[in-house]
Amino acid sequence: MTRCFSLTAVRNRCYKSSFLKAGLRSTITDLQDGTIMHCWVPKTHNDSKPNLLLIHGLGANTMWQWGDTIRKMIPFFNIFVPDLVFFGDSYTTRPERSESFQAQCVMRVMEANSVKKLSLVGLSYGGFVGYSLAAQFSEAVERVVICCAGVCMEEKDLKEGVFKVSDLEEAADILVPQTPEKLRELLGFAMFKPPPSTLVPSCLLADFIDVMCTEYTEEKKELIRAIPKDRKLSNITKISQPTLILWGEYDKIFPLELGHRLKRHLGDNAHLVVIKGTGHAFIVEKPKESYRHLKSFLVDLQPPPSTPSPIPNNENHLSSCKGEAEKITLKTA
């Protein structure tokens, strides 16, 4: 039965309005290969400002995930905010599902907007795409921020207990939820301390799913399946750009050890900062601290002190946490 009122749709319109007020406009780029890309771009490009690319993760559309960040970053950058393929208004008829293909699509949008140099922030799945973009287009990418993205995971990690959910199909069902129960499960994994379940009634979760999660569900699951396929640390390119790695201390989706692994892989060129008392959704749980680190690295160009790499110990990060969370936590997945 069709709902006559949708709180999710109302909130979506509010985010769209905020993007427009921030000086962005909605664009569609036809890549002429069966791929259509939607991207928010500056209404007027300011040549005196550097360019910043914000790449979203799974879950809600890019407006929900970056709305608060844009408001703070817009004074310093020309900001570009794409919908990745199979999210928002972006899609393809091509069979590719890798983060490498996603990165190529995003870069073609940047080229279509005459962007020659940029820095980027990749959130969760967007971190995989951002890392690939930095590796493939090293001359164009100046600085990189990877947020809670297990770029250095390996296929064998699924069998060796690194992840709480080791079955890839089960993980895909959680990350692309189709029922309120699965969405509650996702929120439990995303938050360090989920609020009481009474704050998120099933009707709101169902409304969110209807608006945000019913299109391209199988294609999104294919994107998830493609991440670990034949993945080995030895085959992951070491990017050369100055890199900030941000991670939630108690991330249950990509355990903190993967952040330390990425830092070790990149060496002295990377800095790992752990946001204490947060999970995968640290950008929601501690937005002020998250923004402070982003501004220091991207605006002030200051390298933060790295978090020391401990002896790997996954036990602290693999505990089960079932629960519900406020609607705002849907921003990050």
Side-chain angles (χ1 to χ4, degrees), residues 22 79 95 119 124 160 201 205 223 242 275 285 307 316:
I79 292 184
S119 292
S124 193
E160 295 182 355
L205 298 178
L223 297 177
I275 311 297
E285 294 176 288
T307 301
N316 292 333

Side-chain angles (χ1 to χ4, degrees), residues 160-175:
E160 295 182 355
V162 173
F163 300 98
K164 176 60 183 175
V165 180
S166 59
D167 183 87
L168 195 56
E169 292 307 309
E170 182 182 351
D173 286 340
I174 295 170
L175 292 170

